[in-house]
Amino acid sequence: MEAGGFRRPGLVRKLFEFVFPHYCKVCGHRLDPSEEQLCVTCYLGMPRLEYRRNDINPTERMLLAEKSLVRAASVLHYSKESDYRNILFHLKYWRHPQVGVWLARVGAQELIPQGFFEGIDCIVPMPITYWKEIKRGYNQCSFIAKGIRQATGLPIVNNAVKRVHEHSKQAGLGKYQRWNNAQNLFAVTNPSMLQGKHVLVVDDVVTTGATLCSLIDVMEAKIPNLRVSVFTLAVAD
Ligand SMILES: [Zn+2]
């Protein structure tokens, strides 16, 4: 892997690409063997969320009510009409989860020099329900976690929290109703694994922050001395 998300292709990779061509996950054009996941044009045009350590970015702003929150960042910031949302479709619905590993690794490598991962003990992928994981075949957030682990070496904790139900309307609810709903969505199955830790929760995309807030609310209530940071591939508005 070389800087910028591209690598120099060897003969084997060139032959492999010839027989099994890959396509850009944004525009759909055929990739050159030196390109990985995105063509050069789409890679250079990525709507990156510029993250500066002392600024409040849009992802952090959605999570400000969470008292255990330390910091939050996303790799991309796009509108719902943007072609870059194709990356999330490939990751979640079109069975190309490796694009999540790649984008998470690229984003994490850019955040390391800014001290984003300082003090973080482990990565917790946003859980999905048992039945959704059976249907999809994987939890896409586990692939995002893998990309961050490749860049940082941080361990992944998969079995401390679980998702009980899929959907619950959170927007516009009061704090008490929101808390009741959160209790129905998530459960902490192994609080001792995260007690006293600074945990990095990872998700694919954040739109209102309601799902992340629900998970953090439940974790805060069940896990003593918890600190939480958040990493998502995208923030959409
Ligand atoms: Zn492209």
Side-chain angles (χ1 to χ4, degrees), residues 100-101 104-105 108 122-126 139-158 200-203 231 233:
V101 179
R105 190 177 63 228
C122 59
I123 308 165
V124 171
M126 169 66 77
N139 176 359
Q140 71 277 5
C141 295
S142 295
F143 285 84
I144 300 168
K146 276 184 203 168
I148 300 170
R149 183 177 62 190
Q150 287 174 6
T152 64
L154 286 168
I156 300 169
V157 176
N158 277 311
L200 182 69
V201 174
V202 304
D203 202 356
F231 176 105
L233 290 187

Side-chain angles (χ1 to χ4, degrees), residues 24 27 39 42:
C24 173
C27 71
C39 70
C42 290

Side-chain angles (χ1 to χ4, degrees), residues 25-40:
K25 300 296 188 297
V26 175
C27 71
H29 286 152
R30 186 168 171 170
L31 292 179
D32 183 89
S34 66
E35 296 166 332
E36 190 177 2
Q37 303 295 342
L38 264 58
C39 70
V40 175

Side-chain angles (χ1 to χ4, degrees), residues 54-172:
N54 295 317
D55 289 353
I56 293 183
N57 64 55
T59 312
E60 257 177 347
R61 205 175 300 129
M62 287 182 213
L63 305 170
L64 275 179
E66 303 306 310
K67 63 181 191 302
S68 61
L69 186 79
V70 180
R71 58 188 91 102
S74 301
V75 187
L76 305 179
H77 185 189
Y78 59 70
S79 68
K80 284 177 183 160
E81 294 76 37
S82 167
D83 285 343
Y84 282 87
R85 70 187 177 147
N86 290 342
I87 294 176
L88 276 297
F89 293 153
H90 279 283
L91 169 66
K92 288 170 78 168
Y93 308 119
W94 300 340
R95 294 186 171 268
H96 294 138
Q98 289 301 326
V99 72
V101 179
W102 173 82
L103 186 57
R105 190 177 63 228
V106 167
Q109 282 167 338
E110 291 175 359
L111 287 169
I112 289 171
Q114 296 165 39
F116 182 82
F117 298 98
E118 275 172 22
I120 291 174
D121 296 301
C122 59
I123 308 165
V124 171
M126 169 66 77
I128 61 175
T129 59
Y130 174 77
W131 290 112
K132 188 156 225 175
E133 190 158 347
I134 294 288
K135 193 174 156 196
R136 185 171 292 163
Y138 55 88
N139 176 359
Q140 71 277 5
C141 295
S142 295
F143 285 84
I144 300 168
K146 276 184 203 168
I148 300 170
R149 183 177 62 190
Q150 287 174 6
T152 64
L154 286 168
I156 300 169
V157 176
N158 277 311
N159 48 357
V161 293
K162 72 172 183 180
R163 188 153 185 166
V164 186
H165 291 292
E166 201 52 48
H167 292 296
S168 182
K169 193 169 163 50
Q170 296 287 78

